[in-house]
Amino acid sequence: MPKSTLIETERLLLRPPRQNDAAAIFERYASDPEVTRYLGWPRHESVQDTRAFVGFSVAEWARWSVGPVVVIDRESGTLLGSSGLVMESADRAATGYVFARDAWGKGYATESLRAMIALAAEFKVVRLYALCHVDHQASWHVLEKCGFKREGVLPRHSVFPNLSPEPLD
């Protein structure tokens, strides 16, 4: 188990989200149609939706001692996005990342994903995976750069609610 809920990387601080983060999460990325396009959760229509996400995060941390994290620029204190581990069992977890548009292309996703891989190792996770829409090339690049392998395309496997109500590849 990690000694702290604060994870520090070279440029980033990763910590559990707090209710007072809700407005920044909503404004920076959760309500942005372009940012949320390929995500597996619906774009937030109100800060109340974001507060519900924070509530879910708090519950995950209480249950597993790990969960979603917000990603903050160490230098400026700006909330850049989020990442985290969602435990499915004691040794299996999913991960992912989402960043505000002005944080794209700066290596933050790679840096935060590497931190999640290290955290998963601390928790002795045997199976760490991420789902990615087949057309999301930038995300594929990050996953592969961090050592994830494409295991195949799962036809009509996951709903990407900001693209379609139907399951997509």
Side-chain angles (χ1 to χ4, degrees):
M1 296 279 191
K3 298 175 185 72
S4 167
T5 58
L6 178 67
I7 299 165
E8 297 184 48
T9 69
E10 182 182 340
R11 301 178 297 160
L12 306 172
L13 297 174
L14 296 85
R15 63 162 172 77
R18 304 173 187 139
Q19 283 299 336
N20 65 354
D21 294 320
I25 292 168
F26 179 78
E27 292 167 16
R28 295 281 295 141
Y29 66 87
S31 64
D32 186 324
E34 185 64 22
V35 168
T36 59
R37 180 177 181 196
Y38 290 117
L39 296 182
W41 46 266
R43 180 176 48 260
H44 294 186
E45 300 294 332
S46 70
V47 176
Q48 191 58 37
D49 293 339
T50 309
R51 287 189 188 107
F53 159 73
V54 174
F56 164 79
S57 301
V58 169
E60 287 294 294
W61 277 89
R63 180 175 180 198
W64 297 102
S65 299
V66 71
V69 294
V70 290
V71 179
I72 299 165
D73 183 290
R74 286 176 69 157
E75 190 174 304
S76 69
T78 302
L79 190 144
L80 301 171
S82 68
S83 187
L85 296 180
V86 176
M87 302 298 291
E88 293 181 355
S89 68
D91 64 354
R92 180 177 154 157
T95 191
Y97 38 84
V98 57
F99 286 88
R101 274 195 260 181
D102 63 3
W104 290 358
K106 298 179 180 175
Y108 297 135
T110 301
E111 193 170 331
S112 64
L113 182 57
R114 286 186 174 137
M116 291 303 98
I117 292 166
L119 183 61
E122 287 185 50
F123 274 83
K124 304 206 182 323
V125 169
V126 175
R127 174 79 170 151
L128 179 63
Y129 73 93
L131 295 176
C132 184
H133 188 278
V134 293
D135 295 335
H136 198 343
Q137 295 302 316
S139 192
W140 277 117
H141 179 69
V142 169
L143 289 165
E144 290 173 337
K145 190 177 353 177
C146 290
F148 284 73
K149 304 286 184 230
R150 291 190 205 204
E151 293 182 343
V153 173
L154 302 171
R156 298 185 46 76
H157 179 270
S158 300
V159 173
F160 296 86
N162 304 307
L163 292 174
S164 168
E166 300 297 318
L168 301 172
D169 298 352

